Amino acid sequence: MSHPRYRTAIVGTGGIAAAHAQALRDHDDRAELAAVVDVDPARARDFAAAWGVPKVYASLTELLRDEPVDLVHLCTPPASHAPLALQCLQAGVTVLVEKPPTLSLAELDTLAGAARQSGAHVATVFQHRFGAGALRLRAMARAGQLGRSLLATCVTQWYRDDAYFDVPWRGRWETEGGGPTMGHGIHQFDLLLSVLGPWETVTAVAARRARRIETEDVSMALVTFADGTVASVVNSVVSPRQTSALRFDYEHATVELEHLYGYRDDDWTVTAAPGHTDVETQWRLSRTDGTSGHAGQLAAVYDALDAGSPPPVTLADTRQTVEFIAALYASAFTGERVHSGQIGPDSPFAQAMNGTGTPWQAVTVR
Ligand SMILES: NC(=O)c1ccc[n+]([C@@H]2O[C@H](COP(=O)([O-])OP(=O)(O)OC[C@H]3O[C@@H](n4cnc5c(N)ncnc54)[C@H](O)[C@@H]3O)[C@@H](O)[C@H]2O)c1
């Protein structure tokens, strides 16, 4: 059955927009990039020229007024995600929003309410969920081939120097919503949560060790899951040897992933427990050359739209991750263990990720 070729637009033509334009080009049989929008007109024009985009707009309002589009890719800084996504929903247009989808759990719930009213959808970009290794791991775990999940570790140790934080929206609660927990480790622990399912409790610390920023530059959490799995999660932007690493210890095998900003199938290793070498064989047999980039998620988004379903990652799935972030900060800043469902709408940690305030002294950032 043939499906429509979706008309799309990218809003925000800065750093990450090229990954979206390339992914759209990879799927040019399924979607066309009809227009780009940026508040910086020269940047938008240069981007449009580089990627052969026919139309340029100075605001989302103008785009939604003048251009019939099916899907908007929001590639703007985090504080603008919720207001711009709301505008799309009010116009009945589905929106694919870069991470972090919102600055707070409250904003996410507002979007969910607006999506229910509008009939259009909000999907979050979590491209690492869609690499071949992640798809295979979830399928094998679901089919019971790995046995029970016992233990997991999830590490995002990256390095961002002081100059990185010169970009005005970075390193501030009001504009980035958090530090490496919100902005960097989010990809890795979102993948962890997508594999292990609902988390139950979080006990965490967060600290500002080296950068002159408002937010944390490191955080660590101990997590328990509904299926009994225990896990640790580390997030950092002060680690000179950088890595993104996940390890899942199942009864029948250890499954590991080590990469930096995107993975191939070769970045995964499987070590079978004695008597379970079939798991290694099974993994090897379905090896592919696929990577974990934006194109993988776009394929899943178009499949869902073709089927008339909400595109992934849905707001319900995203909520698990955003609630986890709020719980991590709540635990770190109050010293308490935080349970899933504990952060209600009136919690300060639902309103803003720094909730009741950080334990470190405020700095004059700039
Ligand atoms: N998925 C990933 O792997 C990944 C990687 C990097 C960044 N990101 C996310 O992508 C988003 C953008 O990051 P970036 O590094 O590209 O930022 P950037 O600052 O390089 O680019 C943002 C662009 O948005 C434009 N803009 C700002 N407000 C706007 C508005 N209201 N309307 C239209 N344009 C507007 C700016 O002029 C700028 O050109 C962030 O949320 C970031 O966390 C995701």
Side-chain angles (χ1 to χ4, degrees):
M1 183 175 148
S2 77
H3 289 285
R5 194 162 169 254
Y6 297 104
R7 281 177 62 79
T8 68
I10 292 177
V11 180
T13 54
I16 198 59
H20 287 253
Q22 183 58 55
L24 281 159
R25 191 172 274 180
D26 293 346
H27 289 294
D28 70 349
D29 54 333
R30 303 186 78 179
E32 64 174 303
L33 179 51
V36 291
V37 179
D38 203 294
V39 289
D40 178 338
R43 188 177 285 181
R45 272 198 309 274
D46 289 351
F47 189 92
W51 289 96
V53 186
K55 296 268 192 62
V56 173
Y57 292 92
S59 71
L60 176 64
T61 309
E62 288 173 31
L63 174 92
L64 293 173
R65 190 189 59 208
D66 296 343
E67 195 72 39
V69 285
D70 304 300
L71 184 63
V72 162
H73 294 230
L74 269 189
C75 301
T76 55
S80 60
H81 291 173
L84 295 178
L86 274 176
Q87 254 188 280
C88 291
L89 290 174
Q90 280 153 8
V93 173
T94 288
V95 54
L96 178 62
V97 60
E98 263 298 349
K99 61 81 195 163
T102 57
L103 295 180
S104 68
L105 203 50
E107 276 191 348
L108 195 83
D109 289 341
T110 301
L111 283 188
R116 278 192 295 275
Q117 300 261 311
S118 89
H121 304 287
V122 179
T124 305
V125 176
F126 283 132
Q127 73 269 23
H128 296 302
R129 286 189 182 211
F130 299 90
L135 298 174
R136 187 186 305 113
L137 171 57
R138 283 197 296 267
M140 288 176 72
R142 237 190 340 261
Q145 290 164 302
L146 300 169
R148 286 167 58 230
S149 166
L150 306 174
L151 168 72
T153 56
C154 173
V155 169
T156 305
Q157 282 173 299
W158 289 5
Y159 188 80
R160 296 292 182 269
D161 62 11
D162 288 319
Y164 171 85
F165 290 101
D166 287 344
V167 174
W169 59 265
R170 292 198 176 125
R172 296 166 183 263
W173 295 106
E174 272 196 7
T175 48
E176 194 168 14
T181 316
M182 187 72 159
H184 307 81
I186 188 171
H187 278 305
Q188 271 64 246
F189 59 72
D190 174 75
L191 174 52
L192 179 91
L193 299 176
S194 82
V195 172
L196 294 179
W199 60 272
E200 273 192 343
T201 66
V202 178
T203 312
V205 292
R208 193 186 57 207
R209 301 287 301 134
R211 300 287 170 265
R212 280 186 66 77
I213 55 180
E214 282 179 10
T215 66
E216 87 286 3
D217 54 20
V218 297
S219 69
M220 296 180 76
L222 297 178
V223 191
T224 62
F225 285 83
D227 70 355
T229 306
V230 291
S232 66
V233 175
V234 177
N235 307 296
S236 159
V237 282
V238 300
S239 304
R241 187 182 82 72
Q242 301 193 94
T243 187
S244 308
L246 286 116
R247 174 175 169 143
F248 300 87
D249 288 326
Y250 287 90
E251 264 180 316
H252 301 168
T254 292
V255 181
E256 290 169 272
L257 167 64
E258 181 158 13
H259 68 115
L260 192 50
Y261 302 136
Y263 62 80
R264 313 176 61 81
D265 246 8
D266 288 346
D267 297 320
W268 292 80
T269 53
V270 175
T271 308
H276 291 284
T277 48
D278 54 308
V279 175
E280 283 178 10
T281 311
Q282 167 93 20
W283 187 276
R284 247 195 335 270
L285 283 177
S286 51
R287 204 204 150 279
T288 74
D289 291 326
T291 61
S292 64
H294 286 64
Q297 179 162 1
L298 279 193
V301 165
Y302 301 142
D303 289 348
L305 292 175
D306 287 354
S309 312
V313 174
T314 64
L315 281 175
D317 285 337
T318 296
R319 196 179 195 285
Q320 168 168 259
T321 298
V322 175
E323 188 192 358
F324 174 80
I325 298 170
L328 187 154
Y329 284 122
S331 176
F333 298 159
T334 64
E336 287 173 19
R337 169 178 285 202
V338 176
H339 292 253
S340 169
Q342 187 179 324
I343 300 180
D346 297 332
S347 163
F349 289 96
Q351 300 304 316
M353 290 295 178
N354 57 335
T356 48
T358 60
W360 51 84
Q361 297 278 308
V363 285
T364 307
V365 179
R366 288 164 200 101

